[in-house]
Amino acid sequence: MINAETQLYGVMGNPVRHSLSPIIHNGAFRRMGLNAAYLAFEVENLAEAVSGIKGLGIRGVSVTIPFKTQIIPFLDQLDEVAGKILAVNTIYNEGGKLIGYNTDWRGALGALEEKAHLKGKRVVLLGAGGAARAIAFGLKERGCQVFIHNRSPQKAADLANELGLIHRSLSFNGRLDADVLVNATSAGMSPNDEESPVPKEILAEEMTVMDIVYKPLRTKLLREAEERGCQTIDGLEMLARQGAAQIEIWTGKKPEIEEIKEDLRRALE
Ligand code: NAP
């Protein structure tokens, strides 16, 4: 029941009407018995939107494309990890002080660690965009040997240099020498469902393959990885966990991941 005590949360991005975040958060708030509501805000002017958060006392905001880096100068404080990643996907309004966090890396690493032991593993990370930055940071934190490959090689080289990782232009001839493969590019995302970032032949049975694309849920990469006998992790695992980590920051309470995944699966189907 929305009443005068209801706390307001939301996501700001542009475009944002496709966002699954309202599904994640409103479902979790309801189950947790919190008097809170979560809306999607399609933002044109970031400065005005930030004034709105403060002026209206909006408690917490998810930040998505294209604002994850642009938001940083508008914040009063940056969590240490978000400062290293240089991307913010979560704002907590602590009595008028806006604090920026990044939960994408926690979401991705949580999903991976449920299926694979990461320390010392060779991980090939595809992509050098916003999500790849967060995941690269997390993989380094966990002591992985990280190889970054990107369609635009210079961006991969820049990210690798910045984080002290290895940049490798993969030839994709024969076998991929890796324990874990993570796709953090948009390749395979709807409407390009029949696209995969790597040829099927390089996938080997002992690999764990994670795709962070979640539309469609069973991407071509994951379908082919399954056919090759790999362990697979879909994009919903990261999505649910990054959202759950946001709720924890905002409320201090942990939501049930499995129930969030169920809501998301239903919405995606
Ligand atoms: P971004 O900052 O725009 O980066 C896009 C990345 O994908 C770049 O590395 C780009 O390479 C690469 N790329 C785009 N199209 C490609 C193609 N056809 N073939 C190969 N590489 C391609 O986007 P982002 O925020 O990192 O998001 C990337 C993907 O992750 C999106 O599909 C997004 O929906 C998904 N995502 C999922 C979650 C989750 O929780 N599951 C969270 C965040 C993002 P260039 O540098 O060469 O352009």
Side-chain angles (χ1 to χ4, degrees):
M1 172 77 173
I2 290 177
N3 59 22
E5 297 285 329
T6 304
Q7 300 281 2
L8 184 58
Y9 296 83
V11 52
M12 59 183 192
N14 196 341
V16 84
R17 296 293 159 218
H18 64 287
S19 174
L20 292 170
S21 294
I23 305 268
I24 295 179
H25 293 283
N26 287 316
F29 288 161
R30 192 181 57 250
R31 283 188 296 271
M32 294 165 83
L34 299 171
N35 188 352
Y38 186 104
L39 300 177
F41 302 111
E42 195 150 275
V43 167
E44 296 287 345
N45 183 315
L46 191 55
E48 287 176 4
V50 173
S51 301
I53 297 170
K54 287 195 175 186
L56 297 175
I58 295 174
R59 290 282 291 180
V61 178
S62 311
V63 182
T64 188
I65 286 175
F67 301 124
K68 286 185 182 181
T69 304
Q70 293 175 38
I71 189 69
I72 292 175
F74 294 97
L75 301 173
D76 299 304
Q77 197 179 316
L78 209 51
D79 158 74
E80 196 188 332
V81 173
K84 285 184 185 160
I85 298 172
L86 284 178
V88 163
N89 79 328
T90 311
I91 301 172
Y92 176 47
N93 182 355
E94 194 185 72
K97 185 170 79 174
L98 301 188
I99 311 172
Y101 295 86
N102 187 303
T103 68
D104 280 334
W105 79 279
R106 281 178 60 185
L109 270 287
L112 272 171
E113 283 175 322
E114 196 160 281
K115 293 266 175 88
H117 179 72
L118 289 177
K119 196 171 164 52
K121 292 284 165 63
R122 295 160 306 166
V123 183
V124 169
L125 176 62
L126 306 174
R133 280 188 80 80
I135 297 171
F137 169 85
L139 291 169
K140 189 188 175 200
E141 281 289 297
R142 294 295 193 268
C144 299
Q145 204 184 340
V146 188
F147 302 89
I148 302 183
H149 170 85
N150 191 47
R151 181 177 62 178
S152 313
Q154 191 54 48
K155 280 207 232 164
D158 291 347
L159 178 58
N161 287 337
E162 200 184 314
L163 293 179
L165 304 170
I166 302 155
H167 161 238
R168 183 173 286 177
S169 280
L170 301 172
S171 65
F172 294 140
N173 290 330
R175 255 194 65 154
L176 188 65
D177 212 10
D179 305 301
V180 178
L181 174 72
V182 178
N183 177 39
T185 77
S186 311
M189 190 169 85
S190 180
N192 303 313
D193 300 37
E194 284 314 311
E195 187 183 21
S196 171
V198 294
K200 181 178 177 180
E201 301 71 56
I202 65 149
L203 302 170
E205 196 179 345
E206 56 282 359
M207 274 182 204
T208 298
V209 178
M210 178 161 95
D211 199 339
I212 73 162
V213 170
Y214 52 82
K215 265 184 196 162
L217 208 46
R218 300 316 286 167
T219 56
K220 183 174 185 194
L221 170 65
L222 292 186
R223 282 184 270 125
E224 293 188 338
E226 264 169 17
E227 283 161 23
R228 299 285 285 178
C230 307
Q231 174 163 245
T232 61
I233 304 169
D234 66 35
L236 197 140
E237 297 289 340
M238 171 178 170
L239 188 64
R241 284 177 176 77
Q242 62 78 32
Q246 294 184 321
I247 294 176
E248 224 181 307
I249 289 168
W250 294 332
T251 70
K253 297 185 175 111
K254 274 190 184 186
E256 262 307 321
I257 300 277
E258 287 309 314
E259 289 175 334
I260 293 178
K261 275 165 42 182
E262 210 34 62
D263 286 344
L264 285 171
R265 202 165 280 122
R266 228 174 291 123
L268 283 166
E269 277 163 8

